[in-house]
């Protein structure tokens, strides 16, 4: 198996299966292209006319510097904006005590033992930008909620009474579930190298995200610190990476291959990520090949790290 690696010194794949059989998909007759101007707000939740409309909007906002404020209308607060408002002190408290408090629907520990990592439940910022602060969205005639382990969906049509109940109870009668998984792409493995003291690490990842209404490939680099419980994000003076490769999609036995490349950078940041905008559709993506990247990390003015990583 080809392996991708990265490293240093110094997500979400949604799978359609679940407790209650089947998943709800928006009505096909609603599949029309729309723009940001066509997005509606219903009871504090964004409503897209179709998956095609949603994908079109995500493409529009994907490269904005501040995606948390892309929606100019009133009555909506994104999950991304809520995530961005969480302070380092709040994350540190979770990492020291294991108690999430009011952030139990926003953050989660993934992994086990000393390798537990404190992460956002929805760690693709593009997806977080279109969910409301509690993780809800409407696509066509269906409302969805994204949680830590599963997605909930219910047909609402024009009956906003159903929506109102769903917003207070995403386990109400009639809900269908899809299992939620966060994982690296099948042949992309991260190899960690820690600093001398073992209290800092940089993690590079290729992750795919799949929901009934959304899919993506995200390239992500993050800087972590060691805590009483696992690891959590901490700011580096500078992070940047460049990357290229090919992703493969298998749709009904037909394999298509598409190249991607790009770069990202940020100062005083805990993580940076690149959205491979070409990846859409419920088929998701199945494999990466010919991938490589170069990561540069400046932790302090006197500590710099420049690392290449390739598949084995």
């Amino acid at each position: 198996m080809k392996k991708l690696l990265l490293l240093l010194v110094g997500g979400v794949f949604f799978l359609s299966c679940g407790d209650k059989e089947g998943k709800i998909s928006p009505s096909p007759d609603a599949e029309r292209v729309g723009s940001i101007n066509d997005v509606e707000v219903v009871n504090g939740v964004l409503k897209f006319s179709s998956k095609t409309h949603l994908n079109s909007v995500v493409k529009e906002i994907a490269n904005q510097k501040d995606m948390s404020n892309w929606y100019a209308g009133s009555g909506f607060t994104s999950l991304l904006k809520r995530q961005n408002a969480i302070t380092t002190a709040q994350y540190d408290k979770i990492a020291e005590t294991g108690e999430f408090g009011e952030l139990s629907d926003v953050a989660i520990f993934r992994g086990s033992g000393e390798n537990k990592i404190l992460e956002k439940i929805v760690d693709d910022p593009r997806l977080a930008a279109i969910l409301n602060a509690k993780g809800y969205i409407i696509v066509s005639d269906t409302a969805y909620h994204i949680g830590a382990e599963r997605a909930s969906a219910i047909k609402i049509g024009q009956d906003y009474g159903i929506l109102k109940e769903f917003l207070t109870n995403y386990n109400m009668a009639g809900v269908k579930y899809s299992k939620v998984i966060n994982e690296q792409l099948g042949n992309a493995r991260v190899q960690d190298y820690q600093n001398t003291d073992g209290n800092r690490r940089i993690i590079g990842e290729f992750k795919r995200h799949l929901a009934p209404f959304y899919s993506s490939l995200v390239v992500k680099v993050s800087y972590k610190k060691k805590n009483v419980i696992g690891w959590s994000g901490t700011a580096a003076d500078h992070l940047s990476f460049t990357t290229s490769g090919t992703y493969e999609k298998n749709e009904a036995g037909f394999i298509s291959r598409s190249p991607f490349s790009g770069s990202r950078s940020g100062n005083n940041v805990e993580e940076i990520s690149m959205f491979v905008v070409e990846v859409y559709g419920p088929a998701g993506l199945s494999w990466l090949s010919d991938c490589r990247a170069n990561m540069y990390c400046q932790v302090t003015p006197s500590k710099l790290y420049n690392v290449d990583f390739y598949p084995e």
Side-chain angles (χ1 to χ4, degrees):
M1 175 185 291
K2 290 185 178 180
K3 296 174 185 166
L4 186 67
L5 110 301
L6 157 26
L7 218 192
L8 66 285
V9 170
V12 216
F13 174 37
F14 299 85
L15 192 63
S16 294
C17 60
D19 305 344
K20 299 182 181 180
E21 283 300 320
K23 69 176 182 179
I24 297 179
S25 297
S27 300
D29 58 1
E31 293 293 329
R32 67 177 185 83
V33 177
S35 69
I36 287 177
N37 295 332
D38 299 310
V39 178
E40 301 176 42
V41 176
V42 181
N43 289 3
V45 181
L46 293 186
K47 180 180 180 181
F48 298 84
S49 61
S50 65
K51 288 185 289 185
T52 302
H53 179 204
L54 182 149
N55 290 341
S56 175
V57 170
V58 171
K59 285 183 179 181
E60 287 188 67
I61 70 174
N63 292 315
Q64 291 188 10
K65 188 173 182 179
D66 182 9
M67 289 185 296
S68 65
N69 290 310
W70 69 269
Y71 184 75
S74 61
F76 171 75
T77 301
S78 71
L79 177 61
L80 181 60
K81 190 168 186 175
R82 184 183 175 197
Q83 290 174 342
N84 290 346
I86 301 172
T87 66
T88 300
Q90 287 176 295
Y91 278 127
D92 286 347
K93 182 178 179 180
I94 296 172
E96 297 296 321
T97 67
E99 298 177 1
F100 287 86
E102 63 181 11
L103 299 179
S104 61
D105 61 339
V106 181
I108 189 172
F109 277 113
R110 292 192 169 101
S112 59
E114 293 187 356
N115 287 320
K116 281 184 178 180
I117 297 178
L118 181 60
E119 296 184 334
K120 304 176 185 73
I121 289 174
V122 178
D123 65 352
D124 179 346
R126 275 80 16 182
L127 179 55
I130 57 176
L131 297 173
N132 83 346
K134 292 294 185 180
Y136 288 92
I137 193 170
I138 303 170
V139 183
S140 184
D141 56 359
T142 303
Y144 300 91
H145 174 266
I146 303 299
E149 297 182 355
R150 63 186 182 183
S152 307
I154 192 166
K155 291 272 190 181
I156 60 170
Q158 297 299 315
D159 188 346
Y160 293 141
I162 295 177
L163 174 63
K164 187 175 181 180
E165 181 179 354
F166 185 59
L167 293 179
T168 60
N169 179 17
Y170 49 77
N171 294 312
M172 63 181 286
V175 163
K176 300 291 185 180
Y177 299 110
S178 298
K179 190 175 181 182
V180 175
I181 299 175
N182 185 307
E183 67 180 13
Q184 299 155 4
L185 199 58
N187 65 325
R189 179 179 64 86
V190 175
Q191 178 178 324
D192 289 324
Y193 177 83
Q194 300 177 20
N195 66 351
T196 304
D197 296 330
N199 60 3
R200 294 291 188 273
R201 66 199 282 194
I202 300 169
I203 301 177
E205 303 169 282
F206 283 73
K207 284 190 173 182
R208 59 180 173 183
H209 304 251
L210 179 63
F213 54 86
Y214 178 90
S215 65
S216 72
L217 167 64
V218 172
V219 186
K220 174 182 172 184
V221 171
S222 56
Y223 187 50
K224 306 292 185 184
K225 66 177 179 179
K226 189 75 172 70
N227 304 296
V228 174
I229 304 175
W231 300 80
S232 65
T234 189
D237 281 6
H238 178 85
L239 286 176
S240 65
F241 69 83
T242 60
T243 184
S244 64
T246 301
Y247 69 82
E248 302 177 2
K249 293 175 67 176
N250 187 334
E251 300 177 281
F254 177 76
I255 298 176
S256 61
R257 297 176 175 86
S258 301
F260 67 88
S261 63
S263 63
R264 288 291 182 272
S265 65
N267 297 320
N268 192 33
V269 290
E270 296 180 5
E271 65 180 54
I272 53 176
S273 64
M274 188 188 82
F275 180 50
V276 181
V277 297
E278 294 88 349
V279 182
Y280 287 106
L285 55 142
S286 54
W287 210 250
L288 285 173
S289 61
D290 302 321
C291 296
R292 62 184 60 199
N294 173 269
M295 184 207 68
Y296 174 87
C297 175
Q298 179 169 332
V299 180
T300 68
S302 61
K303 290 185 179 180
L304 328 170
Y305 305 96
N306 194 1
V307 183
D308 290 307
F309 58 104
Y310 305 89
E312 295 180 2

